[in-house]
Amino acid sequence: MEYDVLIRNVFATPDVIELLSGRTSWLSYGYDNWLSNRFFLPSPFDPVDTLGLLAQPATLARVPVHSTPNYAIYQVSNKGNATLDYYHLPDHRTLLYDRRTRFAYWEQPLALDSGNPLAVTAEQLKAICPEASLTNIQKHIGPLNTAMQKYQINTRLRQAHFLAQVAVESDHFRATREYATGKEYEGRADLGNTQPGDGVRFAGRGLIQITGRDVYVKYGRYLGRDLTQGNSMKLVEQEPWAADAAGYFWLIYKKGKDLNGRADRDNVESVTRAVNGGHNGLAARQRYTANAKKVFGLK
């Protein structure tokens, strides 16, 4: 069963992404409060979408149930739940809106080489982290670009800090699992490791490592998967989950640390404390951030 929903036509420009993140007021857009959990489709009357995230379809395969210059009614599926809305757009793609992160993304990602002007190339990432092999970079570059779109790492400065941290945390993109066995986490109630064998079972995985039963449970719920049974937790060692887990860690798991905000303030030491809990590898993180800013043309 599907039902109709009213969607306000607003472009996903950088300003609107700021609005979606909750840092700016909707007053200038005349936003209606009762639409607080709905995402927005571009209008043909609006200027070109500068991010390319929600480009207006050239030819509509089917039309909205009802439309005006300012509003359109499209179908939203009951496939959604308390945290996710699934919007079926007229070109037969599906847009997901995550109410927890207040961010929208495609169920099937757009082609990054044509639809995402903020996509980072393998060559750029190699220049940021020269110690990494191009072979390893190529394994991760696509999923990393998707994760950066999904988790609001949507400015060059945010990308510079995120990629520098990922480069160090993954040992220059060599590792998606920590080198230690995880035995040192056995019995760590603060990590949720309350069952025998949890230390090894829930060792750190991902390009930024998630560690401990608690975060595996939370990330699994976010994905709609159980990452605690059998060998399911090992998925996080593989792409696209290794990169996605890094984005999840950055935006959702460490939400209270406001890593995007720290990146916006361009403070490598502050970002490092939030990611690593200390200053391990700080010099390398500073160097890779500087490299990234140079690659991206930032001062």
Side-chain angles (χ1 to χ4, degrees):
M1 177 180 178
E2 295 179 343
Y3 58 94
D4 295 331
V5 62
L6 192 65
I7 304 177
R8 176 79 180 194
N9 292 337
V10 179
F11 258 82
T13 62
D15 287 343
V16 172
I17 287 178
E18 287 293 304
L19 293 172
L20 288 173
S21 69
R23 290 189 291 272
T24 311
S25 169
W26 280 103
L27 295 178
S28 62
Y29 289 89
Y31 181 65
D32 297 316
N33 290 332
W34 63 272
L35 289 173
S36 59
N37 281 328
R38 300 303 182 198
F39 196 64
F40 312 97
L41 186 71
S43 162
F45 302 98
D46 287 315
V48 175
D49 173 12
T50 56
L51 290 183
L53 294 178
L54 297 175
Q56 178 73 15
T59 302
L60 300 183
R62 57 187 173 85
V63 297
V65 177
H66 174 71
S67 64
T68 73
N70 293 319
Y71 294 90
I73 297 178
Y74 291 91
Q75 290 179 307
V76 60
S77 172
N78 67 348
K79 183 179 178 181
N81 53 44
T83 56
L84 287 177
D85 290 330
Y86 285 70
Y87 292 111
H88 302 312
L89 301 190
D91 63 349
H92 298 294
R93 286 184 298 175
T94 299
L95 187 71
L96 280 69
Y97 177 64
D98 189 323
R99 299 184 189 182
R100 293 166 296 185
T101 63
R102 305 187 71 189
F103 189 63
Y105 55 96
W106 298 111
E107 186 173 37
Q108 296 297 324
L110 298 176
L112 292 173
D113 57 351
S114 61
N116 178 16
L118 288 177
V120 177
T121 67
E123 291 72 22
Q124 287 176 316
L125 192 50
K126 174 69 173 173
I128 292 168
C129 181
E131 293 89 340
S133 75
L134 197 55
T135 298
N136 284 338
I137 285 173
Q138 287 169 339
K139 292 177 185 176
H140 302 295
I141 190 64
L144 276 170
N145 275 312
T146 300
M148 286 190 290
Q149 280 187 286
K150 180 177 176 182
Y151 294 103
Q152 300 181 22
I153 305 165
N154 49 21
T155 70
R156 288 305 195 191
L157 186 57
R158 290 179 179 184
Q159 288 181 334
H161 283 270
F162 175 73
L163 293 172
Q165 295 293 326
V166 167
V168 173
E169 291 293 316
S170 65
D171 188 18
H172 314 112
F173 302 97
R174 294 189 186 102
T176 56
R177 187 192 188 283
E178 66 176 310
Y179 294 134
T181 65
K183 287 183 179 179
E184 65 272 28
Y185 305 128
E186 190 70 11
R188 285 277 301 274
D190 59 314
L191 298 175
N193 291 343
T194 57
Q195 300 182 25
D198 277 357
V200 173
R201 189 177 300 116
F202 301 112
R205 294 181 177 89
L207 288 176
I208 295 180
Q209 295 164 5
I210 62 171
T211 307
R213 176 183 284 273
D214 274 354
V215 66
Y216 277 85
V217 169
K218 291 174 181 176
Y219 184 47
R221 287 174 181 164
Y222 176 79
L223 294 177
R225 295 171 175 266
D226 186 345
L227 295 178
T228 66
Q229 300 300 315
N231 291 318
S232 60
M233 65 288 300
K234 293 183 179 180
L235 279 176
V236 187
E237 299 176 27
Q238 307 168 24
E239 292 296 8
W241 297 283
D244 189 81
Y248 171 85
F249 177 98
W250 185 271
L251 183 68
I252 299 176
Y253 185 61
K254 290 290 185 177
K255 183 177 180 180
K257 300 292 185 180
D258 187 22
L259 280 158
N260 275 332
R262 293 175 189 235
D264 292 343
R265 293 186 287 276
D266 198 16
N267 188 325
V268 179
E269 185 175 351
S270 175
V271 173
T272 300
R273 283 199 308 272
V275 169
N276 182 259
H279 296 96
N280 293 335
L282 178 60
R285 297 171 206 260
Q286 290 171 327
R287 178 160 53 90
Y288 296 148
T289 304
N291 288 349
K293 289 165 72 175
K294 183 177 179 180
V295 166
F296 296 148
L298 304 176
K299 293 182 179 180

